[in-house]
């Protein structure tokens, strides 16, 4: 093993599957890596494709005003990323370049734009659904995918700052929504089993910030509102959350005033697939050469 290949991440870089950028958690992806991501994406569609989900693709940035209303800064200010841009005149420009040349912080000369980076694929969806008015009897089911940003730099390959999340989101009555989550918990067993990956399912919580966050995290766990499908990737002792199953109860329904036809507040749930994390798990368990992966796994992805 080469000196630089001591970690899984270095092995991936040495093999040319990921490319360093000089920033932790920000990588280029090779054609082979992307092919696995694409095939996994298609496999997800084979499981969820018959549910009649409405496909929506948002860009990796969302409306800052709607992001503020979503309450993300209450729970996760440490993860958020905002987009700033230069809006000054010639004098400000000269000032900026001077600071940059001196190695000083020039970014304060920028201003926040109307766009923030999307923290989870489903965040831009709720205001769109709310604008449509009362839900139909069948509720709503959505197929989303987005690059997401979370400021959590790390040397672990599985903890990226920019990564893709595929999601199915269910919006409707509590019964519709809990049935959806139960269905996906069952489907996930089969799907990840087909990929030949060891896994366990466990109750989880989101990384809520600060002192108030501790209370929110334990209440989320007590109510079993979040499950994660964990696969050992970086270490066997601490497996990595590769899929998440979230039941938000009426949190987003209340926030965005989404109603069911009986006048009740809509409940929501989502299942999120970490596209890079599952791809990395495949490389970890089946080796860095996709041609040598077990036939059953190749058939599931490329068959
Ligand atoms: P969450 O909203 O935290 O449940 O995230 C949904 C899914 O996105 C998780 O199950 C992970 O597979 C994936 N994910 C979350 N954070 C990261 C990250 N920092 N890097 C790569 N994938 C991530
Ligand atoms: Zn979601």
């Amino acid at each position: 093993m080469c000196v630089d290949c001591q970690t899984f991440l270095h092995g991936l870089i040495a093999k040319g599957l990921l490319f360093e950028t000089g920033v932790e958690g920000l990588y280029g992806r090779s054609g082979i890596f992307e092919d696995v991501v694409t095939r996994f994406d298609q496999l997800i569609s084979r499981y969820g494709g018959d549910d009649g989900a409405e496909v929506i693709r948002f860009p990796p940035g969302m409306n800052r005003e709607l992001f503020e209303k979503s309450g993300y800064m209450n729970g996760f200010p440490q993860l958020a990323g905002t987009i700033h841009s230069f809006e000054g005149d010639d004098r400000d420009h000269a000032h900026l370049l001077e600071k940059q040349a001196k190695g000083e912080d020039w970014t304060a000369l920028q201003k926040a734009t109307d766009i923030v980076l999307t923290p989870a694929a489903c965040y831009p969806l709720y205001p769109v659904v709310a604008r449509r008015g009362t839900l139909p009897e069948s509720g709503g089911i959505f197929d989303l995918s987005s690059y997401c940003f979370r400021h959590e730099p790390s040397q672990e390959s599985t903890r990226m700052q920019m990564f893709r999340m595929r999601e199915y989101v269910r919006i409707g009555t509590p019964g519709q929504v809990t049935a959806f989550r139960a269905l996906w918990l069952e489907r996930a067993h089969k799907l990840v089993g087909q990929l030949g990956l060891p896994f366990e399912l466990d109750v989880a919580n989101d990384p809520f910030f600060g002192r108030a966050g501790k209370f929110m995290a334990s209440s989320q766990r007590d109510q079993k509102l979040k499950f994660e499908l964990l696969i050992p990737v970086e270490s066997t002792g601490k497996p990595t959350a590769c899929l998440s199953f979230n039941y938000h109860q009426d949190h987003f329904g209340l926030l965005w005033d989404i109603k069911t036809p009986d006048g009740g507040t809509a409940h929501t749930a989502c299942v999120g697939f970490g596209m890079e994390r599952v791809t990395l798990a495949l490389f970890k368990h089946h080796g860095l050469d996709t041609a040598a992966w077990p036939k059953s796994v190749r058939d599931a992805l490329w068959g």
Side-chain angles (χ1 to χ4, degrees):
M1 192 188 256
C2 67
V3 179
D4 282 345
C5 303
Q6 283 153 351
T7 65
F8 180 48
L9 174 61
H10 288 133
L12 293 158
I13 291 166
K15 181 81 177 169
L17 288 163
L18 291 181
F19 299 90
E20 282 181 290
T21 66
V23 176
E24 287 177 354
L26 187 72
Y27 307 105
R29 283 93 166 132
S30 73
I32 291 172
F33 190 96
E34 284 302 286
D35 188 32
V36 177
V37 170
T38 304
R39 301 297 178 155
F40 173 51
D41 200 36
Q42 291 166 352
L43 181 63
I44 297 168
S45 298
R46 291 211 287 278
Y47 276 83
D50 290 337
D51 295 347
E54 179 179 345
V55 176
I56 308 185
R57 295 290 179 260
F58 292 101
M62 66 176 283
N63 181 331
R64 176 159 59 88
E65 216 179 291
L66 299 178
F67 169 85
E68 285 165 9
K69 190 172 164 191
S70 79
Y72 194 80
M73 292 307 281
N74 299 337
F76 315 102
Q78 79 283 17
L79 298 178
T82 52
I83 299 190
H84 287 63
S85 203
F86 177 70
E87 290 179 16
D89 57 16
D90 282 335
R91 247 187 63 209
D92 299 322
H93 183 208
H95 192 192
L96 185 156
L97 291 178
E98 194 188 309
K99 280 187 168 284
Q100 204 183 56
K102 286 189 195 156
E104 293 174 10
D105 179 19
W106 54 272
T107 57
L109 291 161
Q110 294 190 309
K111 282 209 167 104
T113 66
D114 291 338
I115 301 174
V116 298
L117 293 164
T118 304
C122 64
Y123 269 74
L125 175 71
Y126 306 108
V128 168
V129 174
R131 274 201 301 274
R132 290 179 175 173
T134 302
L135 292 169
E137 287 290 344
S138 55
I141 179 158
F142 301 90
D143 169 340
L144 309 175
S145 177
S146 178
Y147 252 103
C148 297
F149 173 85
R150 293 185 187 176
H151 187 239
E152 44 184 357
S154 166
Q155 288 181 4
E156 288 183 4
S157 62
T158 49
R159 191 165 295 283
M160 296 184 168
Q161 297 201 60
M162 287 186 153
F163 56 94
R164 273 159 293 182
M165 201 187 288
R166 172 90 186 267
E167 283 198 44
Y168 282 105
V169 182
R170 186 78 170 104
I171 306 185
T173 62
Q176 288 169 332
V177 164
T178 49
F180 163 89
R181 193 172 73 153
L183 175 66
W184 270 107
L185 278 163
E186 202 184 297
R187 283 175 174 169
H189 267 89
K190 272 197 213 144
L191 193 160
V192 178
Q194 255 195 300
L195 295 177
L197 298 170
F199 66 91
E200 58 187 87
L201 272 165
D202 206 356
V203 175
N205 62 267
D206 288 311
F208 293 102
F209 183 76
R211 245 183 309 151
K214 285 208 176 78
F215 169 77
M216 288 162 90
S218 64
S219 135
Q220 190 184 27
R221 288 186 91 88
D222 291 347
Q223 298 181 74
K224 294 188 167 51
L225 297 180
K226 186 179 188 82
F227 285 93
E228 285 175 342
L229 187 146
L230 306 150
I231 305 175
V233 184
E234 294 286 344
S235 87
T236 37
K238 204 175 146 277
T240 304
C242 292
L243 275 66
S244 310
F245 310 81
N246 305 297
Y247 178 27
H248 318 116
Q249 297 173 303
D250 61 3
H251 174 78
F252 289 116
L254 278 174
L255 196 64
W256 296 106
D257 194 24
I258 308 173
K259 294 271 193 259
T260 51
D262 60 5
T265 299
H267 280 224
T268 63
C270 63
V271 50
F273 300 83
M275 302 309 291
E276 283 79 6
R277 282 191 177 175
V278 172
T279 300
L280 290 164
L282 285 161
F283 282 113
K284 176 72 180 192
H285 289 274
H286 304 316
L288 300 188
D289 178 8
T290 53
W293 286 5
K295 185 176 179 311
S296 57
V297 176
R298 289 193 54 82
D299 285 349
L301 291 168
W302 286 277

